[in-house]
Amino acid sequence: MAVNTDELYDVIIVGTGFAGVYGLHKMRESGFRVMAVEAGDSVGGCWYWNRYPGLRCDVDSLEYAYAFSDELQQEWRWSERYAPQSEILGYIQFAARKLDLEKDILFNTRIASARFDNGSGIWTLTSENGDTMRAHYVVMATGCLSIPNKPDIPGIGDFEGEIVHSVQWPEGHLDLADKNVAVIGTGSTGVQMIPLLAREAKHLTVVQRTPAFAVPARNQPWNDARIEYWRQNFRELREAAKNTRAGVLHEYGLLPSAAVRPEDRIADLERRWIKGGPNVLYGFSDLLVNEETNNLVSDFLRGKIADAVDNPETAKKLMPYEYPVGTKRVCVGTDYYETYNRDNVSLIDLRTEKLQQIEKDGIRTDAGFYPVDVLVMATGYDAITGALLAIDITTTAGKSLREEWGKGPETYMGYGIAGIPNLFAVTGPGSPSVFSNMVLSVEHDMDWISACIAHLKERDFATIEADPAAQAAWMEHVDAVASLTLVNKAASWYRGANVEGKPQKFMPYVGGVNTYQKRCWEIARNGYEGFLINGKPETSPARKEEMAHS
Ligand code: NAP
């Protein structure tokens, strides 16, 4: 049965990545009339849109998976430590089929605007095609990394070859043999694709504005013993992850570097380096708050670049000095630095070589001309706020959210926005979001939002919205926690610094998943303190009973 857009829903979920898929299941289980709307023709979110060569997740696949269902866990077998995109997409599709969700999803429909009617308390969502749908509550599961950042680089409009953005990689094989390829961008995406493109292209030119810290993934197939261990201990392991600051079972060093003997510090970093993945970042408890510790780890990683790259000049260009390690996302890759030892790879380091313009057949810098047939933009995303602001949302006072967030986003706990009733953001700004295991965080947020909606419905409340005072206090806290760390020292996408004209403000909450989740449920237990709840509570039998016993 197809979605009926004439129906008045309790909840509409926008987006069906990891968040929307679980949210649809959860809200259906909670007894709500719920539908989801999706721009693509499949569930999957960023794992549906992104399909560039080399794309994998940089969280262990056993942890980058739903925690709510033993059944899903038992039936799905991850093949590798860092699952490739096709497998992650397959997993989300498997979950949607297993939970019979697709019948409640309106595919190929991108929402353009959302309007709340104060009188009726009903949201109307309108798609780019003019379709409308209505609900009492809207849940924005639109993702933190879904709107591509397409910088206006001088001359790019004159380029006559093919331009491919990593987020919009063409389906099927893109033939790069005999082509001069250039990649702009050396974040996680660039670091993953560069080694593979270098193997395929005639020549690869990498344009680097800021070097990344990249660590080796040391990806490998899971062995049966590991899979079995997870099957046996699934519930305990996932619960344990929730009590960590990142929502991932890293081996967290509990001591600051100063409390560890100098020779043991390096030995531990070496051991973690060999283990692979981001392990090397978790050796000391104070990496993100202590510059000395940070320098120690940064120097260690720069030393690894010197070891891997044959040409010392190139190695130097690849070394980041302008930000503390961990304040921009550390990239997990395979053979990234070694790729620069190939004869068919050139590096344009924009710190030492000035970009003049892109021309019809290449890139011109003050040091020369680089012929290009295919230009790959690995330039990232308008992150965290991009997808929310792509939808025209207005406050009850008639102000647009874009205007409201002109100086940077403000939310209460990442979920609520003052002046916008009955709309919830999932992993919104002011929540741990991209500073956490996203799958664990989206599941948590959907649990919380659905408990909140159940609370309102049971009591016949009409509207909920963030109290401006609580919102201001929470954002102050988010800023204060960020200021205790080094995160503001980087021009990162966490701060909106990668997008021309975007207000700069550190957006994720860095106080830890454990602290954040605890606070969320305290708020719920305290009757959703910090939210303004309106309606006619006396009409609800549940509320009447509650009042009689109070
Ligand atoms: P990103 O980290 O924002 O990197 C974009 C790159 O493009 C940066 O090197 C940036 O330089 C460069 N750039 C942007 N505008 C430019 C311009 N006008 N001129 C020259 N260079 C420019 O984006 P991303 O690599 O797509 O990754 C974004 C996030 O997605 C990651 O941090 C991660 O959270 C997630 N991701 C995860 C995985 C994974 O799980 N392995 C894979 C891919 C992405 P600056 O640094 O100077 O801004």
Side-chain angles (χ1 to χ4, degrees):
M1 208 177 66
V3 171
N4 176 7
T5 47
D6 291 333
E7 194 171 331
L8 173 60
Y9 286 88
D10 291 322
V11 185
I12 296 179
I13 298 172
V14 184
T16 60
F18 266 109
V21 163
Y22 174 60
L24 187 51
H25 167 70
K26 176 72 194 173
M27 308 244 175
R28 194 198 268 170
E29 293 281 289
S30 305
F32 309 153
R33 274 165 301 148
V34 55
M35 65 163 280
V37 54
E38 166 57 53
D41 62 14
S42 162
V43 298
C46 66
W47 298 104
Y48 164 84
W49 295 103
N50 276 275
R51 57 177 84 93
Y52 61 80
L55 174 55
R56 296 176 176 279
C57 184
D58 57 7
V59 177
D60 275 17
S61 53
L62 290 161
E63 297 201 59
Y64 194 75
Y66 288 125
F68 72 92
S69 164
D70 287 323
E71 211 183 335
L72 286 182
Q73 156 71 18
Q74 300 299 334
E75 280 188 35
W76 184 265
R77 191 192 195 283
W78 292 105
S79 64
E80 296 174 75
R81 177 178 180 186
Y82 296 118
Q85 172 267 339
S86 56
E87 195 169 324
I88 302 173
L89 177 60
Y91 172 77
I92 304 171
Q93 291 169 333
F94 158 76
R97 271 197 311 276
K98 179 99 196 141
L99 301 167
D100 192 23
L101 300 178
E102 283 165 349
K103 64 177 195 279
D104 289 330
I105 304 173
L106 186 64
F107 289 106
N108 300 306
T109 306
R110 188 178 283 280
I111 297 301
S113 71
R115 293 277 177 278
F116 183 73
D117 180 68
N118 285 321
S120 61
I122 291 171
W123 277 99
T124 300
L125 305 189
T126 306
S127 76
E128 283 179 351
N129 300 332
D131 304 322
T132 56
M133 52 218 88
R134 295 171 314 130
H136 291 291
Y137 298 95
V138 171
V139 179
M140 290 295 183
T142 39
C144 291
L145 298 166
S146 39
I147 301 292
N149 174 35
K150 295 183 173 172
D152 187 15
I153 296 172
I156 198 160
D158 300 330
F159 184 65
E160 290 179 359
E162 189 170 2
I163 301 182
V164 180
H165 196 289
S166 60
V167 186
Q168 291 153 340
W169 202 265
E171 251 181 284
H173 185 68
L174 181 64
D175 189 8
L176 299 176
D178 302 323
K179 299 261 168 67
N180 290 312
V181 178
V183 175
I184 301 183
T186 54
S188 298
T189 299
V191 164
Q192 286 187 331
M193 66 164 64
I194 283 164
L196 292 167
L197 299 185
R199 274 189 238 157
E200 215 190 317
K202 182 166 81 177
H203 193 91
L204 182 72
T205 302
V206 177
V207 182
Q208 168 190 272
R209 183 165 71 181
T210 314
F213 282 104
V215 294
R218 306 202 197 286
N219 187 35
Q220 56 190 306
W222 287 126
N223 60 38
D224 289 344
R226 183 77 180 159
I227 294 283
E228 201 41 42
Y229 171 75
W230 266 79
R231 287 201 170 133
Q232 299 292 331
N233 300 286
F234 172 67
R235 188 93 346 258
E236 296 76 11
L237 290 164
R238 298 314 303 268
E239 282 307 311
K242 289 181 192 166
N243 290 319
T244 65
R245 61 176 192 267
V248 181
L249 294 173
H250 293 299
E251 183 198 343
Y252 296 91
L254 299 177
L255 297 176
S257 67
V260 180
R261 288 188 317 173
E263 60 276 27
D264 292 346
R265 292 176 200 156
I266 300 300
D268 188 56
L269 288 172
E270 286 290 356
R271 183 183 64 79
R272 288 171 178 273
W273 176 261
I274 297 296
K275 237 175 133 182
N279 273 294
V280 74
L281 302 175
Y282 293 94
F284 307 113
S285 60
D286 59 345
L287 178 81
L288 278 184
V289 293
N290 182 328
E291 294 208 37
E292 265 177 49
T293 300
N294 200 286
N295 289 338
L296 173 82
V297 179
S298 300
D299 284 344
F300 175 83
L301 293 173
R302 285 189 284 260
K304 294 294 181 193
I305 300 174
D307 292 347
V309 180
D310 296 341
N311 181 332
E313 275 304 302
T314 309
K316 208 169 145 205
K317 290 179 182 172
L318 287 165
M319 290 180 192
Y321 280 98
E322 44 279 274
Y323 59 94
V325 64
T327 58
K328 276 181 169 237
R329 174 83 164 205
V330 169
C331 306
V332 178
T334 300
D335 294 337
Y336 175 63
Y337 294 117
E338 290 78 1
T339 297
Y340 293 92
N341 296 333
R342 295 176 65 105
D343 292 336
N344 72 333
V345 175
S346 319
L347 174 65
I348 301 176
D349 172 26
L350 295 179
R351 298 174 304 176
T352 53
E353 190 173 340
K354 197 171 169 347
L355 179 81
Q356 290 180 329
Q357 74 225 7
I358 294 183
E359 299 184 353
K360 67 178 173 39
D361 53 358
I363 298 173
R364 187 166 301 282
T365 72
D366 59 1
F369 178 77
Y370 300 80
V372 181
D373 306 309
V374 179
L375 182 60
V376 177
M377 306 293 285
T379 44
Y381 301 85
D382 180 356
I384 305 179
T385 53
L388 270 173
L389 295 181
I391 299 173
D392 180 19
I393 303 171
T394 38
T395 66
T396 42
K399 220 169 153 189
S400 78
L401 182 60
R402 290 171 196 151
E403 232 180 300
E404 195 75 10
W405 283 3
K407 291 193 177 131
E410 303 269 325
T411 73
Y412 180 46
M413 304 306 294
Y415 301 125
I417 304 166
I420 305 188
N422 295 9
L423 180 140
F424 298 91
V426 180
T427 57
S431 78
S433 66
V434 290
F435 246 68
S436 72
N437 176 351
M438 284 299 278
V439 185
L440 197 132
S441 282
V442 298
E443 248 187 79
H444 168 269
D445 286 8
M446 284 298 186
D447 285 343
W448 192 92
I449 293 166
S450 102
C452 178
I453 295 175
H455 173 92
L456 300 166
K457 276 172 63 65
E458 277 158 24
R459 288 160 182 77
D460 217 12
F461 287 125
T463 61
I464 182 166
E465 65 181 270
D467 177 348
Q471 176 171 290
W474 176 249
M475 291 319 288
E476 217 171 280
H477 175 64
V478 170
D479 284 347
V481 177
S483 308
L484 295 174
T485 74
L486 305 171
V487 293
N488 281 316
K489 289 190 179 279
S492 65
W493 60 258
Y494 300 133
R495 305 185 69 236
N498 60 328
V499 176
E500 189 77 30
K502 188 165 172 169
Q504 293 204 26
K505 171 178 181 163
F506 193 83
M507 295 179 277
Y509 175 63
V510 289
V513 164
N514 40 3
T515 316
Y516 170 80
Q517 295 193 356
K518 218 167 121 210
R519 180 69 195 128
C520 289
W521 293 106
E522 250 168 40
I523 287 172
R525 275 194 303 279
N526 293 339
Y528 295 89
E529 64 179 341
F531 286 93
L532 303 173
I533 297 179
N534 297 305
K536 297 193 181 84
E538 68 278 8
T539 59
S540 151
R543 182 69 182 136
K544 267 190 202 159
E545 197 182 321
E546 194 175 272
M547 286 167 78
H549 289 94
S550 64

